[in-house]
Amino acid sequence: MKYISTRGTAPALSFEEAMLTGLARDGGLYVPESWPQMSTAEIAALAGLSYEEVAYRVMRPFVGETFTDDAFRGIIERAYAVFGHAARCPLVQIEPNHYLLELFHGPTLAFKDVAMQLIGQMFQVSLSRSGRRVTIVGATSGDTGSAAIEAFKGLDAVDVFIMYPHGRVSEVQRRQMTTPVEDNVHALAVAGDFDDCQARLKDMFNDFEFRDEVGLAGVNSINWARVLAQVVYYFTSAVSLGAPHRPVCFTVPTGNFGDIFAAYVAKRMGLPIERLVIATNQNDILHRTLQTGAHEKAGVRPSISPSMDIQVSSNFERLVFDLYDREGGAVAQLMDALKTDGRFDLSQGALARLRDEFDSGRVSEEECSAAIRDGFASFGEVLCPHSATGVKVAQDHLGAVPMITLATAHPAKFPAAVKDATGIHPDLPQRMADLFDRDERVTPVDNDLAAIEAVIRKARA
Ligand SMILES: *Cc1c(COP(=O)(O)O)cnc(C)c1O
């Protein structure tokens, strides 16, 4: 399996190269050159298997020669052994024909763990056989950083540095980043906001001398391996409701379009998904795109579902590539327009194709809070604000086909919003009940590239 760039001019890469590279050199994103197919019989045979076995069968064709069968099985086993639920991603019914897919049983209580745990193990196997060592640097508004630290801590082929905006993440999120004791992981509290952290990260990748010196690598959400890991739970949940003999619909709380793009991949592989519903908060660029065909940035407005406060949904480019018959030149033009004019218009044909498979809905702050309250009152589920956004939009799209809504984080990760809506303070799961007693280790840094690079050089040595 080869991977090609959505902008058409970067060289095709193997799975391993695409995983370690992240962004293509022409500015595009890597996608498989074709979608592997699973037959009806192959999908039916997934029924009753463990999460790990389904993961192996679904992902195997994408990985090619990068890992042997045995090595890949080992990677998957180690990745999910740390999850706090035997089913890994369990499905629960909340109302007639409506189900919740719980993706928050990983070590940091958000769905980011599902992918990050897997790529931690994949990086480790790939790097140790080549004797290479890399420095992973990431910027986070909360969930991605803690998931990366948990996934890479204690692995000997990587050092990890996560920049977060000082004073602007929740206490649970901060403690998840600052309390791991392994000395290859480092939390950096940057004197600035999330945009500053992202800007410094970009500067660092453009500082080629530093980049080569430390072997800089990225694990942000455009990394293909992260999307791939998320394809698996669409199969496990759909099959448990009767696929391939019965279709399902999914509603996905969406920010960067990574999670819902994974659902689209599952559909392309043959999983019978009837409708894919995009749920956004007040940062609704994707909802407006579906309504009007204009993909137009507006300023980010902070919300109570902060992990979806995003204006540029990077992974949308992967879908646009398919909507335009995989013509890299057309995608490059649209993305240039987005960069210079802050917008582009989908062609009539592309918009029709988009609407053929996707629906969307937008949830205001008040509606989100009401959905958290109603969820508890009517079906006894304490929802995080992101999951509540999904549930609300899903309820507007319920029909004859079973609906599965993704629950992307545990409510204890966003206690203030949950308490405001329900009066209940959501407790952390038992296995991390002592989070507030653990010692914190964090390095404060100025919002300055040279200062951040100096900290990284020193800590690696
Ligand atoms: C990252 C995140 C999302 C958005 O997922 P995308 O793949 O960026 O669309 C939704 N909910 C939570 C809790 C998240 O951490």
Side-chain angles (χ1 to χ4, degrees):
M1 172 68 74
K2 280 281 177 194
Y3 288 81
I4 56 174
S5 165
T6 51
R7 302 203 189 167
T9 57
L13 300 182
S14 68
F15 176 79
E16 182 168 32
E17 292 163 326
M19 171 181 84
L20 296 172
T21 307
L23 197 68
R25 276 210 304 248
D26 57 7
L29 277 58
Y30 278 105
V31 288
E33 62 186 348
S34 63
W35 299 117
Q37 297 299 303
M38 284 186 77
S39 68
T40 303
E42 284 169 324
I43 297 172
L46 301 177
L49 300 180
S50 66
Y51 187 87
E52 284 79 354
E53 182 61 28
V54 175
Y56 177 81
R57 295 190 190 186
V58 169
M59 294 191 288
R60 190 72 193 96
F62 291 93
V63 171
E65 324 236 291
T66 295
F67 302 114
T68 63
D69 293 351
D70 282 350
F72 193 44
R73 280 187 192 282
I75 284 169
I76 295 170
E77 291 296 330
R78 289 191 296 280
Y80 299 118
V82 295
F83 273 49
H85 196 295
R88 309 313 182 212
C89 301
L91 189 67
V92 299
Q93 183 164 17
I94 52 175
E95 54 188 341
N97 229 17
H98 191 185
Y99 300 80
L100 207 56
L101 177 56
E102 294 185 350
L103 301 176
F104 50 71
H105 294 281
T108 72
L109 307 180
F111 86 91
K112 303 286 195 295
D113 288 324
V114 178
M116 209 63 94
Q117 283 294 323
L118 188 83
I119 73 169
Q121 297 300 328
M122 292 199 295
F123 266 64
Q124 174 71 10
V125 170
S126 157
L127 293 169
S128 22
R129 93 184 142 207
S130 64
R132 272 176 70 196
R133 221 188 135 70
V134 298
T135 302
I136 290 172
V137 183
T140 186
S141 58
D143 293 337
T144 300
S146 52
I149 284 179
E150 274 299 324
F152 288 93
K153 70 182 191 188
L155 302 183
D156 51 27
V158 283
D159 290 295
V160 178
F161 295 85
I162 298 295
M163 299 185 275
Y164 70 86
H166 179 65
R168 297 182 200 227
V169 296
S170 81
E171 185 162 10
V172 173
Q173 289 176 322
R174 187 191 75 232
R175 285 181 169 273
Q176 285 180 334
M177 292 189 274
T178 59
T179 58
V181 296
E182 290 76 5
D183 55 17
N184 72 323
V185 295
H186 310 269
L188 308 181
V190 177
D193 61 19
F194 174 57
D195 288 339
D196 292 325
C197 296
Q198 266 199 313
R200 296 299 79 73
L201 182 64
K202 212 167 166 197
D203 295 346
M204 208 177 289
F205 271 93
N206 285 324
D207 179 349
F208 295 119
E209 213 182 305
F210 181 77
R211 187 170 167 167
D212 293 340
E213 179 193 331
V214 304
L216 198 60
V219 292
N220 56 10
S221 77
I222 53 110
N223 194 304
W224 167 256
R226 279 186 58 187
V227 175
L228 175 60
Q230 294 166 7
V231 176
V232 175
Y233 46 70
Y234 292 99
F235 277 91
T236 57
S237 58
V239 166
S240 72
L241 289 185
H245 313 298
R246 197 161 73 130
V248 293
C249 298
F250 285 98
T251 300
V252 185
T254 296
N256 232 336
F257 207 75
D259 210 0
I260 196 161
F261 186 75
Y264 168 84
V265 174
K267 187 171 180 179
R268 288 280 82 83
M269 291 175 74
L271 190 67
I273 300 176
E274 182 111 335
R275 303 297 295 166
L276 282 169
V277 187
I278 300 165
T280 77
N281 65 19
Q282 59 190 2
N283 297 294
D284 61 350
I285 179 166
L286 292 166
H287 178 57
R288 287 184 282 113
T289 303
L290 256 106
Q291 301 269 295
T292 66
H295 190 69
E296 184 169 18
K297 287 197 257 181
V300 173
R301 287 193 292 148
S303 78
I304 57 172
S305 47
S307 305
M308 306 195 296
D309 291 346
I310 284 178
Q311 272 304 302
V312 180
S313 294
S314 324
N315 281 294
F316 190 57
E317 177 167 344
R318 289 192 159 110
L319 181 66
V320 171
F321 185 58
D322 272 14
L323 296 177
Y324 280 82
D325 290 320
R326 307 201 130 205
E327 282 189 29
V331 177
Q333 260 179 22
L334 295 175
M335 295 303 149
D336 282 347
L338 185 65
K339 200 165 170 194
T340 49
D341 314 331
R343 62 169 288 155
F344 62 76
D345 289 293
L346 287 174
S347 70
Q348 284 304 322
L351 179 59
R353 282 188 183 184
L354 177 66
R355 288 176 174 162
D356 247 9
E357 316 215 26
F358 291 87
D359 291 310
S360 67
R362 186 196 96 107
V363 171
S364 69
E365 293 290 273
E366 298 72 32
E367 288 170 325
C368 180
S369 204
I372 298 175
R373 190 166 51 244
D374 293 350
F376 186 61
S378 61
F379 41 81
E381 246 349 278
V382 182
L383 299 168
C384 94
H386 310 80
S387 312
T389 301
V391 165
K392 166 77 177 94
V393 172
Q395 286 172 331
D396 295 335
H397 289 85
L398 289 182
V401 175
M403 174 66 80
I404 299 172
T405 297
L406 274 55
T408 50
H410 190 285
K413 232 178 159 170
F414 302 93
V418 173
K419 177 119 202 267
D420 279 352
T422 61
I424 291 172
H425 182 88
D427 287 332
L428 287 165
Q430 198 52 44
R431 68 200 142 90
M432 56 188 77
D434 67 340
L435 185 65
F436 284 80
D437 306 325
R438 297 179 197 164
D439 288 334
E440 292 192 74
R441 183 170 55 98
V442 56
T443 310
V445 281
D446 286 338
N447 176 22
D448 174 76
L449 181 65
I452 298 169
E453 289 181 348
V455 167
I456 293 175
R457 276 199 186 93
K458 185 147 172 267
R460 281 178 77 243

